[in-house]
């Protein structure tokens, strides 16, 4: 008989504890060495789901067609002025491109040589004409500063204009904005405050808009999937390079990272952010509840040692069986700890109860082994087979989790009847640590449940029906962004970036056989009310080029000679002092010449005063003041030179890296469809995805993939749950040999599960990609508890609430609930949701254990009032 066999094995382990420790220690060391030399973990989420799904095959085909669009880091550069942002983007992109070991490519979708030259062609004709006319009006200034691109040249231009004011050829109001900005800038420099100057803003006569002060780099980093943060090395290099280039808040520039790679990496960082708090809470809860369960530090230590060594052995076996861990399979750790501790608590509490009748430790251990051996073996077999039933699912992450967790159940069972008795035999915990092992105080509750059995069962049936009716309200949150901490850099940057609709992540890509086939599809997509706009490679070929180019060429004919002049040498500090004095004097004279507005006069006097003080300041102060004005001047002049070099743009003349983003090597063309900016809720995006897929079933994109991935995960868990239930029921039928007993075992499991899901539906606590991983643990704990009670009932136990088994079950549930409920403290939304679901489910499990299960197992009263 299995109970007798387990009892003999427990007795033998207690008799020869050193041999057991030697064997277990050897296995643990071997597992540890194997894990250390063969440890591998993939953090690539794409590998979690089988490629057999049609949507995954389409996604993989798209990734193969456009490899340059995969594994991207988005570098968002914000400057205090447009020129600072442009300068920072230019220097950073050049520096990163020079590091091919970490970066496959570095691109500027909003800039670079192509857009620098041809940017005007993408504006309407009226704006092109207005821009060129503005340049012509600034012809004198451009000529002067191009010949002398220094603060001396700027002051010389201003002095020349002021001379014109003296002789009535210009108005002081014409240079009022320039005088005001220069005075403000110099005042800040001399006060030691951050100072920024923008020629672009000055010429546009207004404040720079956020889009004008932002530049974006798209970086494809070299990934290391052996690391928990595969793109961390590249991201760190970007930040380090930016610091070395002086691109920081102190210089009016901020650099932030977002995109798929930083979002994935920072998820691990946010998981580790509160590890000390969560770990401390888990350990404190674990130790506290274990001590309350057994009231012996020696027994607690034995349980913990058994669990730790079992975890090490399971880790080695898991790597041997699967070759590597993934983001889902690492959940075997809480599964093993939760269920492994349960096995240990069952034996330990029964051992303490047997000490009342068997004072000798070995005899008590043998009796405990005989008492709980069969239930433990059956629970381990049922749960293990249930986990192995995950293997046929298409969710690879879950399948590998099932393999490792199934092996872990075997390890946990074997160690609970070998290593744990050996440790208890060595530690020799004192008897009498607890006044009572069971709960005699629950006798009235048990009597009430027995006498009102039918009522309690009817209430349970009603609750099950109501809970089933609420199941349609249970949501699955398909959006993986909801699981990420909203305070990490990548999420904050993403929200800021996507406030511009052109940078939304929620686009859908459609592939057509050729660029010629794109236009008919664009027209069909444009007719959909869910589609805001579409972009193709043809979108980068400007319209009305001839008219725009004629305007640009005419302007270039007049400006190119002066912009191409060879600049003079930079001035010395003494020469700059002379320029400051000359311009200050010119300002004083201009104020007294002719009529001018009060504001223009105040601006002139303020600038004259600032120039006078700057002339008296230290040379390094003048150098800083010059740099603030001259650096954006150089950026502005270079940009004007580039714009005037615009030429005809055709598909054939587009940059190769731009073409590669929209045209495959075999000629297929990509069409990108955008949703409406104000309709990016989960429901609206699903309607957007469905509408596009009706026209193009092979379309891919975030709105399609997140819903498809969610459906695949839910389906995989439903399959796994179904297979597990079938496997467990089969094991129970073989072991218990009575359908009624199997029903008694499984009914509370299904009831607590229904109540958990119904509560989630009522409280609007959706399932998601993170907390759904907790379901196997909850299912395993529920099955184990019910097997223990049914086996005790079959053995003749008539008062389960007052037994040592009840104590073991209660404290096992509390240990799991409080230890893993500590996850609720995490700032990571996904981890916190797992903690909430665990606490909620185990709370229902305890209530079902206390109220429903005793009534279910109570023998109905006979007509004579005895027990039948």
């Amino acid at each position: 008989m299995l109970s007798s066999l387990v009892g003999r094995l427990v007795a033998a382990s207690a008799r020869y504890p050193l041999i057991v420790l030697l064997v277990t220690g050897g296995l643990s060391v071997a597992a540890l060495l194997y894990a250390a030399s063969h440890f591998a973990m993939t953090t690539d989420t794409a590998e979690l789901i089988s490629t057999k799904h049609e949507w995954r095959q389409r996604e993989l085909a798209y990734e193969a067609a456009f490899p340059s669009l995969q594994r991207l880091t988005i570098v968002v550069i914000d400057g205090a002025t447009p020129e600072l942002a442009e300068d920072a983007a230019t220097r950073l992109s050049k520096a990163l491109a020079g590091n091919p070991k970490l970066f496959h490519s570095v691109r500027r979708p909003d800039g670079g040589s192509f857009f620098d030259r041809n940017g005007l062609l993408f504006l309407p004709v009226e704006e092109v004409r207005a821009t060129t006319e503005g340049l012509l009006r600034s012809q004198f200034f451009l000529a002067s500063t191009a010949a002398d691109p220094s603060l001396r040249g700027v002051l010389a231009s201003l002095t020349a204009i002021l001379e014109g004011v003296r002789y009535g050829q210009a108005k002081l109001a014409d240079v009022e904005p320039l005088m005001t900005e220069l005075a403000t800038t110099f005042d800040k420099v001399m006060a030691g405050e951050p100072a920024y100057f923008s020629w672009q803003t000055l010429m546009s006569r207004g404040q720079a808009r956020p889009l004008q002060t932002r530049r974006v780099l798209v970086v494809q980093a070299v990934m290391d999937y052996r690391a928990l943060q595969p793109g961390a090395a590249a991201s760190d290099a970007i930040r380090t390079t930016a610091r070395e280039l002086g691109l920081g808040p102190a210089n009016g520039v901020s650099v932030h990272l977002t995109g798929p790679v930083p979002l994935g990496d920072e998820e691990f960082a946010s998981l580790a952010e509160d590890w000390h708090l969560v770990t401390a809470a888990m350990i404190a809860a674990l130790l506290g509840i274990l001590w309350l369960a057994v009231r012996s530090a020696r027994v607690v230590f034995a349980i913990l040692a058994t669990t730790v060594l079992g975890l090490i052995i399971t880790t080695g076996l898991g790597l041997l069986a699967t070759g590597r861990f993934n983001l889902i399979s690492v959940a075997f750790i809480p599964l093993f700890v939760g269920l492994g501790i349960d096995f240990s608590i069952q034996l330990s509490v029964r051992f303490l109860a047997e000490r009342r009748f068997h004072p000798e430790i070995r005899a008590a251990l043998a009796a405990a082994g005989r008492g709980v051996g069969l239930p433990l073996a059956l629970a381990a077999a049922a749960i293990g087979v249930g986990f192995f039933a995950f293997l046929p699912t298409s969710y690879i992450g879950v399948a590998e989790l099932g393999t490792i967790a199934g092996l872990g159940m075997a390890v946990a069972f074997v160690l609970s009847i070998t290593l744990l008795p050996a440790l208890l035999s060595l530690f020799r915990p004192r008897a009498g640590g607890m006044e009572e092992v069971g709960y005699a105080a629950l006798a009235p509750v048990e009597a009430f449940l027995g006498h009102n059995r039918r009522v309690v069962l009817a209430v349970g049936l009603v609750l099950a029906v109501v809970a089933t009716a609420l199941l349609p309200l249970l949501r699955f949150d398909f959006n993986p962004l909801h699981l990420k901490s909203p305070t990490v850099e990548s999420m904050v940057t993403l929200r800021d970036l996507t406030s511009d609709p052109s940078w939304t992540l929620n686009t859908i890509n459609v592939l057509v056989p050729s660029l010629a086939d794109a236009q008919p599809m664009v027209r069909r997509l444009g007719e959909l009310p869910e589609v805001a706009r579409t972009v193709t490679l043809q979108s980068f070929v400007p319209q009305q080029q001839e008219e725009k180019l004629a305007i640009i060429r005419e302007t270039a004919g007049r400006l190119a000679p002066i912009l191409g002049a060879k600049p003079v040498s930079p001035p010395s500090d003494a020469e700059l002092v002379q320029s400051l004095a000359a311009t200050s004097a010119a300002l004083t004279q201009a104020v007294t010449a002719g009529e001018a507005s009060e504001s223009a006069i105040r601006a002139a006097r303020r600038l004259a005063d600032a120039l006078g003080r700057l002339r008296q300041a230290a040379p390094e102060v003048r150098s800083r003041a010059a740099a603030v004005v001259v650096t954006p001047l150089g950026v502005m002049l270079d940009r004007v030179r580039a714009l005037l070099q615009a030429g005809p743009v055709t598909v054939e003349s587009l940059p190769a890296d731009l073409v590669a983003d929209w045209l495959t090597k075999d000629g297929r063309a990509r069409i990108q469809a955008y949703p409406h900016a104000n309709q990016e809720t989960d429901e609206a995006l699903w309607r957007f995805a469905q509408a596009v897929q009706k026209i193009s079933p092979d379309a891919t994109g975030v709105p399609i993939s997140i819903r498809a991935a969610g459906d695949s995960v839910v389906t995989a868990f439903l399959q796994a749950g179904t297979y597990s239930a079938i496997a467990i029921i089969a094991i129970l039928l073989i072991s218990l040999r009575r359908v009624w007993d199997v029903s008694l075992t499984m009914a509370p499991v299904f009831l607590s599960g229904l109540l958990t899901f119904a509560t989630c539906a009522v409280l609007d606590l959706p399932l998601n990609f993170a907390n759904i991983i907790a379901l196997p643990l909850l299912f395993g704990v529920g099955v184990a508890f019910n097997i223990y009670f049914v086996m005790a009932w079959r053995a003749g136990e008539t008062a389960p609430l007052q037994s040592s088994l009840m104590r073991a079950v209660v404290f096992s549930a509390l240990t799991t609930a409080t230890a893993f409920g500590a996850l609720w403290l995490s700032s990571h939304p996904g981890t916190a949701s797992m903690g909430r679901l665990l606490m909620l489910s185990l709370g229902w499990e305890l209530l079902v254990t206390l109220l429903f299960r005793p009534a279910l197992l109570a023998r109905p009263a006979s007509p004579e009032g005895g027990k039948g």
Side-chain angles (χ1 to χ4, degrees):
M1 187 177 179
L2 186 58
S3 294
S4 177
L5 177 62
V6 172
R8 290 197 297 272
L9 186 57
V10 170
S13 300
R15 189 176 302 113
Y16 305 106
L18 295 179
I19 294 177
V20 174
L21 283 178
L22 184 63
V23 172
T24 306
L27 290 173
S28 300
V29 170
L32 193 61
L33 292 175
Y34 183 86
S37 60
H38 293 79
F39 183 83
M41 180 169 177
T42 177
T43 53
D44 188 356
T45 56
E47 295 188 19
L48 297 180
I49 299 179
S50 171
T51 56
K52 295 179 181 179
H53 293 289
E54 289 186 10
W55 69 271
R56 277 291 290 141
Q57 293 175 0
R58 293 195 301 270
E59 201 172 61
L60 291 173
Y62 173 77
E63 291 177 2
F66 297 101
S68 61
L69 299 177
Q70 314 309 319
R71 314 292 191 266
L72 298 180
T73 296
I74 310 299
V75 184
V76 180
I77 303 169
D78 289 305
T81 65
E83 293 90 341
L84 283 176
E86 179 64 27
D87 177 66
T90 301
R91 292 194 291 137
L92 183 58
S93 61
K94 183 178 180 180
L96 297 181
N99 189 357
K101 291 184 178 180
L102 287 176
F103 307 107
H104 290 301
S105 65
V106 180
R107 290 173 293 158
R108 291 192 55 190
D110 58 356
S113 59
F114 172 76
F115 289 103
D116 286 347
R117 289 195 312 273
N118 302 299
L120 282 178
L121 296 179
F122 291 92
L123 299 177
V125 174
E126 295 75 14
E127 290 190 32
V128 174
R129 183 174 288 110
T131 301
T132 54
E133 289 175 353
L135 292 175
L136 290 172
R137 285 195 301 270
S138 304
Q139 183 173 356
F140 172 77
F141 173 78
L142 292 173
S144 178
T145 53
D148 185 2
S150 66
L151 181 55
R152 179 184 59 187
V154 171
L155 294 175
S157 300
L158 178 57
T159 301
I161 296 173
L162 293 173
E163 285 296 316
V165 172
R166 286 181 59 193
Y167 296 104
Q169 298 172 347
K171 295 181 179 179
L172 193 60
D174 295 339
V175 290
E176 181 181 347
L178 176 59
M179 294 187 297
T180 300
E181 290 301 317
L182 286 174
T184 300
T185 301
F186 295 151
D187 283 342
K188 289 183 176 180
V189 170
M190 288 182 286
E193 300 175 4
Y196 312 107
F197 190 91
S198 172
W199 292 101
Q200 180 175 327
T201 304
L202 182 66
M203 291 181 174
S204 62
R205 301 293 180 94
Q207 292 292 322
R209 298 187 301 273
L211 294 181
Q212 293 177 321
T213 59
R214 169 167 291 172
R215 299 294 183 270
V216 176
L217 306 183
V218 176
V219 177
Q220 189 174 50
V222 175
M223 305 292 283
D224 179 11
Y225 288 111
R226 296 168 300 177
L228 288 177
Q229 300 180 50
S235 296
D236 289 343
I238 294 172
R239 296 186 178 99
T240 300
T241 304
R243 285 195 299 270
E244 291 174 349
L245 293 173
L247 306 181
N251 295 316
V253 177
S254 65
V255 177
H256 297 292
L257 308 185
T258 187
V261 172
L263 283 168
D265 288 346
E266 287 193 345
E267 182 157 14
F268 289 103
S270 64
L271 282 169
E273 181 180 343
D274 327 301
W275 70 268
H276 53 287
L277 173 63
V278 174
T279 303
M282 290 178 69
I283 293 175
L286 197 62
L287 293 175
I289 299 298
L290 280 177
W291 188 84
L292 289 175
V294 297
R295 299 296 178 91
S296 168
R298 298 179 184 183
V299 177
V300 169
F301 183 80
I303 293 174
L304 291 178
T306 302
T307 303
V308 171
L309 292 179
L311 190 58
I312 292 172
I313 294 173
T314 302
T315 301
L317 285 175
L319 286 171
L320 180 65
T322 63
R324 55 94 193 269
F325 295 135
N326 61 57
L327 295 177
I328 303 298
S329 65
V330 293
F332 83 90
I333 297 174
L335 285 174
F336 181 88
V337 173
L339 293 168
I341 282 183
D342 171 60
F343 292 169
S344 295
I345 288 178
Q346 295 295 329
L347 182 74
S348 299
V349 171
R350 184 60 179 262
F351 158 69
L352 294 173
E354 294 292 344
R355 290 292 301 274
R356 294 174 173 269
F357 310 103
H358 305 280
E360 204 276 321
I361 288 180
R362 293 176 183 174
L365 283 170
R370 290 190 299 271
V372 301
L374 181 59
L376 282 182
L378 184 55
I383 298 169
V385 170
F387 283 144
F388 284 129
F390 289 7
L391 290 175
T393 67
S394 61
Y395 195 11
I396 296 174
V398 173
E400 292 182 354
L401 170 63
T403 300
I404 302 172
L407 293 171
M409 291 305 96
V411 171
F413 170 67
V414 171
L415 292 187
S416 68
I417 61 174
T418 56
L419 178 61
L420 180 61
L423 291 173
L424 292 174
S425 177
L426 284 174
F427 294 160
R428 307 188 66 82
R430 292 189 297 273
M434 294 182 292
E435 295 181 2
E436 60 173 358
V437 179
Y439 294 109
L442 293 178
V445 175
E446 197 151 44
F448 174 83
L449 294 175
H451 287 101
N452 297 277
R453 177 174 183 266
R454 295 182 184 275
V455 175
V456 174
L457 295 180
V459 171
L461 179 62
V462 170
L463 288 175
V465 171
V466 173
T468 303
L470 290 172
L471 288 183
L473 300 178
L474 181 64
R475 293 190 303 112
F476 188 93
D477 188 348
F478 295 92
N479 194 335
L481 293 180
H482 294 166
L483 303 182
K484 301 181 186 297
S485 172
T487 60
V488 298
E489 177 191 6
S490 57
M491 280 297 294
V492 173
T493 306
L494 180 66
R495 284 196 303 271
D496 187 27
L497 181 64
T498 53
S499 61
D500 176 7
S502 63
W503 279 104
T504 179
L505 299 180
N506 296 312
T507 59
I508 292 180
N509 300 292
V510 175
L511 287 183
V512 293
S514 68
L515 190 58
D517 296 311
Q519 290 310 307
M521 178 60 74
V522 165
R523 285 193 293 270
R524 293 182 65 189
L525 291 170
E527 294 171 355
L528 297 175
E530 294 85 1
V531 175
R533 64 187 179 95
T534 56
V535 177
T536 69
L537 184 62
Q538 193 67 41
S539 303
F540 297 93
V541 179
Q543 303 297 314
Q544 298 179 282
Q545 290 191 51
E546 291 185 6
E547 187 175 355
K548 297 173 185 176
L549 285 171
I551 298 171
I552 294 172
R553 286 175 184 142
E554 180 182 355
T555 306
R558 299 173 62 180
L559 295 182
I562 62 176
L563 290 172
K566 184 179 180 180
V568 298
S569 300
S572 64
D573 183 63
E575 292 172 329
L576 181 56
V577 169
Q578 292 177 0
S579 296
L580 291 169
T583 305
S584 179
L587 285 166
T588 303
Q589 293 172 357
V591 167
T592 60
E595 296 182 359
S597 65
E598 287 297 324
S599 61
I601 293 173
R602 284 196 301 270
R605 288 173 175 168
R606 181 186 173 198
L607 179 58
D609 176 68
L611 295 179
R613 287 185 288 113
L614 186 60
R615 187 161 55 93
Q616 300 297 326
E620 55 269 21
V621 176
R622 285 191 291 274
S623 179
R624 286 200 301 270
V628 171
V629 175
V630 172
T631 299
L633 176 64
V635 174
M636 184 269 292
L637 290 173
D638 288 342
R639 186 165 180 78
V640 172
R641 292 185 185 102
L643 288 174
L644 296 179
Q645 295 175 15
V649 177
T650 64
V651 170
E652 292 73 21
S653 68
L654 290 173
D657 59 347
L658 178 61
V659 174
D661 289 348
W662 297 91
L663 211 61
T664 65
K665 293 180 180 179
D666 58 7
R668 287 174 294 161
R670 177 168 74 104
I671 303 170
Q672 192 172 41
Y674 284 76
H676 291 281
N678 58 348
Q679 296 182 13
E680 293 197 39
T681 62
D682 292 342
E683 294 76 15
L685 288 175
W686 181 230
R687 290 193 299 271
F688 169 57
Q690 289 177 307
V692 173
Q693 284 188 296
K694 285 181 180 179
I695 294 178
S696 177
D698 293 334
T700 61
V702 171
I704 295 172
S705 62
I706 60 173
R707 180 59 67 107
D711 289 341
S712 298
V713 169
V714 171
T715 300
F717 270 94
L718 288 175
Q719 290 175 344
T722 302
Y723 298 154
S724 296
I726 293 172
I728 289 172
I729 290 172
I731 290 288
L732 293 177
L733 281 172
I734 294 171
S735 303
L736 302 180
R737 300 181 181 180
R738 287 201 295 241
V739 174
W740 178 246
D741 290 0
V742 174
S743 301
L744 293 178
T745 303
M746 297 305 294
V749 177
F750 292 131
L751 178 59
S752 59
L754 285 173
L755 291 172
T756 298
F757 291 141
T759 306
C760 289
V762 171
L763 299 180
D764 195 26
L765 301 175
L767 296 178
N768 54 52
F769 292 105
N771 63 23
I772 198 171
I773 301 172
L775 296 183
L777 172 60
L778 303 175
F779 185 63
V781 168
V783 169
F785 288 175
N786 284 283
I787 287 176
Y788 301 150
F789 277 100
V790 169
M791 295 299 293
W793 174 70
R794 283 165 60 99
E797 177 63 68
T798 58
L801 292 187
Q802 304 171 59
S803 67
S804 62
L805 172 60
M806 187 64 195
R807 181 184 190 87
V809 165
V810 166
F811 280 101
S812 178
L814 287 176
T815 299
T816 305
T818 54
F820 295 100
L823 298 174
W824 200 338
L825 300 175
S826 174
S827 61
H828 183 266
T831 304
S833 71
M834 188 186 299
R836 284 193 296 270
L837 183 61
L838 281 163
M839 291 288 283
L840 185 63
S841 178
L842 288 167
W844 279 119
E845 180 63 39
L846 279 177
L847 285 176
V848 169
T849 296
L850 288 169
L851 302 177
F852 180 76
R853 189 181 289 117
L856 190 66
L857 298 179
R859 294 175 173 84
S862 66
E864 293 78 21
K867 294 286 181 184

